Amino acid sequence: MRKAVAATVLGAAAARVAYTLLTRRPPREEKLWLRTNHRGEPVTLLEGPAFVAGAVTAVAVAPGVPARMRVAAVFAGTAAGALGAYDDLAGSGDSRGFKGHLAALAHGEVTTGAVKILGIGAAGLAAAALAGTGRRPSTRADLLINGALVAGGANLLNLFDLRPGRAIKVGALAALPGTLSGSAVTAAPFGAALALLPEDLGERAMLGDAGANALGALLGLSAAHLPRPVRLGILTGVVALNAASEFVSFTKVIQATPALRRIDEFGRRPVVPEARPTGTE
């Protein structure tokens, strides 16, 4: 547990330092990192690179991480974050979904989202091969399962980055069991995400694809050493949620479910109802 605590603290500290440095001196032009949120207010995407820097740095130096898993986690977080940042900066901003990007690709249109999907899929397999399965012999099935966990986790967390704090809350809840069990690989992104939560809830910044993809990829990879039945169960849930997102709005489901709505809105700025015009007919 001490190793997980150390990784959490390292992730949080590194993420805060990275966010401070990046917002003081943004890479490229500052306006490239600005987006308009659901209120119509400007927020910065630099929270995403700050999360990647914090989580990857913490994994790289945290005590008690096996060498293969350390290399795999650094690679997975960096690759997913870089591909997400590419989509953040070069993408059109149109939301096509997994099915939409692949349909465009089938018609000869290479979208930034398609590049990201294929790139994260390849990165997931590479990270799975680097990580192995701990003390158990690694098979081709294990490689595919673990690669799918990395890629599926990366895409799934990005689907929740539609309201302030939502993706971080989902990621933190998913990371909590592993962190409490003493996994430094889970604790590092857990700490980095929580350290940036105030910026997200305050609607000053957002994870964007860079941060959400990296968070999901690291959480997916952290399951690589679990027993195969457990990994298959997690993967089933990840795949089901990714598939459901093509037909169901997560935001509508959350709003229609009181318990989920309370968790989703906790710590967030209240929504001010639009004033209705007054007058007589």
Side-chain angles (χ1 to χ4, degrees):
M1 188 62 187
R2 290 181 180 178
K3 296 174 182 177
V5 172
T8 301
V9 173
L10 284 169
R16 289 306 311 181
V17 169
Y19 183 76
T20 299
L21 294 176
L22 286 169
T23 50
R24 285 180 180 175
R25 291 190 176 183
R28 304 176 65 180
E29 295 182 39
E30 184 177 6
K31 65 180 181 181
L32 292 176
W33 298 95
L34 293 178
R35 293 294 182 274
T36 302
N37 68 3
H38 67 113
R39 295 180 192 266
E41 299 174 353
V43 296
T44 180
L45 289 171
L46 288 170
E47 179 185 329
F51 167 80
V52 176
V56 167
T57 299
V59 169
V61 302
V65 181
R68 291 187 62 175
M69 177 59 84
R70 192 187 301 276
V71 173
V74 170
F75 172 75
T78 303
L83 287 162
Y86 164 70
D87 198 19
D88 279 333
L89 297 181
S92 65
D94 297 330
S95 179
R96 295 173 179 262
F98 187 85
K99 183 170 61 177
H101 287 301
L102 294 187
L105 189 62
H107 288 86
E109 180 187 355
V110 181
T111 65
T112 56
V115 172
K116 185 183 73 171
I117 289 170
L118 296 175
I120 290 179
L125 289 174
L130 288 168
T133 52
R135 298 177 181 178
R136 299 181 303 278
S138 181
T139 66
R140 185 174 298 178
D142 289 312
L143 176 65
L144 293 175
I145 292 169
N146 293 346
L149 281 171
V150 174
N155 190 66
L156 181 59
L157 260 293
N158 196 34
L159 296 174
F160 285 103
D161 194 34
L162 295 176
R163 290 294 185 272
R166 182 182 293 172
I168 291 180
K169 289 175 183 177
V170 171
L173 289 172
L176 190 58
T179 301
L180 292 177
S181 69
S183 170
V185 176
T186 312
F190 176 75
L194 288 184
L196 296 169
L197 182 59
E199 306 299 330
D200 212 302
L201 288 175
E203 300 185 28
R204 296 179 290 275
M206 62 183 291
L207 282 176
D209 288 14
N213 286 151
L215 176 56
L218 287 169
L219 293 181
L221 182 67
S222 70
H225 290 177
L226 294 175
R228 185 184 292 180
V230 177
R231 283 180 284 136
L232 283 172
I234 296 172
L235 180 58
T236 299
V238 169
V239 171
L241 287 171
N242 272 294
S245 72
E246 298 290 333
F247 309 98
V248 178
S249 166
F250 287 174
T251 294
K252 290 183 179 179
V253 171
I254 290 170
Q255 288 297 313
T257 310
L260 294 179
R261 185 174 67 249
R262 285 194 291 271
I263 294 172
D264 190 49
E265 294 177 350
F266 180 77
R268 187 188 301 170
R269 289 166 53 195
V271 176
V272 180
E274 293 184 5
R276 294 184 179 180
T278 57
T280 58
E281 295 184 355

